[in-house]
């Protein structure tokens, strides 16, 4: 009996070498389990089979690091985080019903776009609203005076949301105007994205400190914060009656009639019933940023028809169930009969967008893509180049605008339908940021945008397929390396 007990003790208390062997076996087993669980998660959850296969091989072939890379970079938590943060901000308040929120038919000459309209009806909660007027404002020289005049004339409320609010001369003109109207009793609320606020010193928050202006940062960059989930919207609503939106931030950089201009851009003044949807979008962001629910006729007055444009607000972001903007863009290209004009500062298309453009070009649709010749983010431009040759070989014409950097963004189909707003054609806008766009059914407005596009093309240089093919090998390698990171650019 004593011998049996002694033998058992040798098994239960191994020697030093045996202990190391056991620990190594346990470690290998745990790593194998982690690799298998990670690979299984990728197999079940990755929609793209190429992405799934890549992550499965990474998890199985690289012990520990492969699964760590997968859980750190391969799992999309953007949607769940955004939804959770919105839930934490509180329930969406009840907005007043619009008296003209009814389904209106498209004009007879635009009836062929009924499938596109049906798509938007399905994925966007906002209605297509008639009776609107949209005024095109070029550069800060036209946009800023119009915006400041609206602010100075406010009697009830001023609501401003922007990504960048510089502390330069232009920024100070806006902060002074906001403080002045707030002092005479107008409710003034300002939202600035906390990442965009880092672009300039002093910040708008500092310039407005001590005033009656209510200021909130969107998702403050505290420790552990995220560079994604940024509020890229540009919205100004005055008295619930006049609104401005587009791609323009607030700062001297958007003034072109000065020495060393930096950015060319377009902005838009909106009047008519669609203003209520811009107001709703701002107040939803305000609810998220402050937790305050604001509603009532003070913010949603009656808005009579003031123009001929049919307008729908498309508020999109990583908290939404559908990729609204992406689907609407694909739908618009698929409905095009004659021509598509796309002007964008950042162009990093996914496979569905490339397929849609190529398919339309093969159907005989004239596709024109206008990009900046010199991008403010060189690595984005490098990644863009890797996609151009594939479009060029099927007849898509691509033009490069001369400096300064052109931040303008819009899309026009057949001189009938337009898309304007804050979103770029890249993964950051279509997947990671909060964006705001307007789809517009109106030939007069579309022709104005096409005229701007024609002027841009006339001053631009066409990028040929021979030029893309003739890039030196080091440049092709550089561009290809940038492409690998395109989902995060």
């Amino acid at each position: 009996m004593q011998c049996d007990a002694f033998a058992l003790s040798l098994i239960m208390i191994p020697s030093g070498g045996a202990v190391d062997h056991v620990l190594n076996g346990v470690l290998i087993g745990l790593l194998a389990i982690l690799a298998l669980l990670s690979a299984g998660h990728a197999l079940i959850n990755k929609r793209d089979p190429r992405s799934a296969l890549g992550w499965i091989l990474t998890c199985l072939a690289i012990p520990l690091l492969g699964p760590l890379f997968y859980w750190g970079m391969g799992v999309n938590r953007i949607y769940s985080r955004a939804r959770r943060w919105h839930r934490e901000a509180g329930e969406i308040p009840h907005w007043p019903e619009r008296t003209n929120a009814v389904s209106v038919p498209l004009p007879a000459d635009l009836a062929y776009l009924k499938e596109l309209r049906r798509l938007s009806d399905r994925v966007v909660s906002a209605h297509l609203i008639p009776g609107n007027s949209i005024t095109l404002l070029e550069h800060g020289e036209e946009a800023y005076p119009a915006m400041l005049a609206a602010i100075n004339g406010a009697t009830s409320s001023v609501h401003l949301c922007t990504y960048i609010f510089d502390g330069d001369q232009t920024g100070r003109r806006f902060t002074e105007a906001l403080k002045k109207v707030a002092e005479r009793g107008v409710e003034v609320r300002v939202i600035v994205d906390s990442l965009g606020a880092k672009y300039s010193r002093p910040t708008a928050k500092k310039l407005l400190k001590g005033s009656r202006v209510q200021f909130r940062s969107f998702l403050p960059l505290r420790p552990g914060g995220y560079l994604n989930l940024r509020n890229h919207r540009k919205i100004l609503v005055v008295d619930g009656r006049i609104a401005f939106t587009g791609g323009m931030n607030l700062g001297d950089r958007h003034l072109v009639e000065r020495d060393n201009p930096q950015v060319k851009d377009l902005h838009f003044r909106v009047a008519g019933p669609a203003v209520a949807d811009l107001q709703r979008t701002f107040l939803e962001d305000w609810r998220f940023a402050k937790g305050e629910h604001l509603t009532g006729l003070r913010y949603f007055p009656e808005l009579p028809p003031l123009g001929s444009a049919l307008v729908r607000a498309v508020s999109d972001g990583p908290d939404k169930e559908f990729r609204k903007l992406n689907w609407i863009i694909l739908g618009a290209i698929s409905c095009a009969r004659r021509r598509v004009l796309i002007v964008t500062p950042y162009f990093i298309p996914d496979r569905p967008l490339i397929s849609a453009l190529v398919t339309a070009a093969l159907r005989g649709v004239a596709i024109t893509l206008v990009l900046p010749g010199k991008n403010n983010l060189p690595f984005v431009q490098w990644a863009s180049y890797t996609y151009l040759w594939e479009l060029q070989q099927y007849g898509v014409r691509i033009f490069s605008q001369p400096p300064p950097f052109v931040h303008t963004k819009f899309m026009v189909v057949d001189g009938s339908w337009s898309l304007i707003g804050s979103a770029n054609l890249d993964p950051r806008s279509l997947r990671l940021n909060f964006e705001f766009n307007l789809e517009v059914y109106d030939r007069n407005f579309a022709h104005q945008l096409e005229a701007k596009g024609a002027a841009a093309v006339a001053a631009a240089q066409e990028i040929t397929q021979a030029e893309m093919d003739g890039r030196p090998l080091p440049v092709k390698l550089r561009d290809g390396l940038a492409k690998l990171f395109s989902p995060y650019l």
Side-chain angles (χ1 to χ4, degrees), residues 276-327:
D277 283 325
L278 281 86
Q279 183 80 297
R280 283 180 178 83
T281 300
F282 176 89
L283 292 180
E284 286 180 3
D285 285 347
W286 186 257
R287 174 189 59 84
F288 174 71
K290 189 181 179 181
E292 181 180 20
H293 297 185
L294 299 172
T295 187
L297 294 179
R298 177 179 181 84
Y299 307 109
F300 296 96
E302 289 292 326
L303 297 171
L306 293 175
S308 60
L310 288 166
V311 176
R312 187 198 309 271
V314 184
S315 176
D316 202 2
D319 61 321
K320 306 300 183 184
E321 182 177 359
F322 303 124
R323 295 179 63 184
K324 303 176 187 178
L325 279 172
N326 193 49
W327 289 358

Side-chain angles (χ1 to χ4, degrees), residues 264-276:
K264 291 182 177 180
D265 212 337
L266 291 181
H267 219 56
F268 304 91
R269 181 184 185 273
V270 184
V275 171

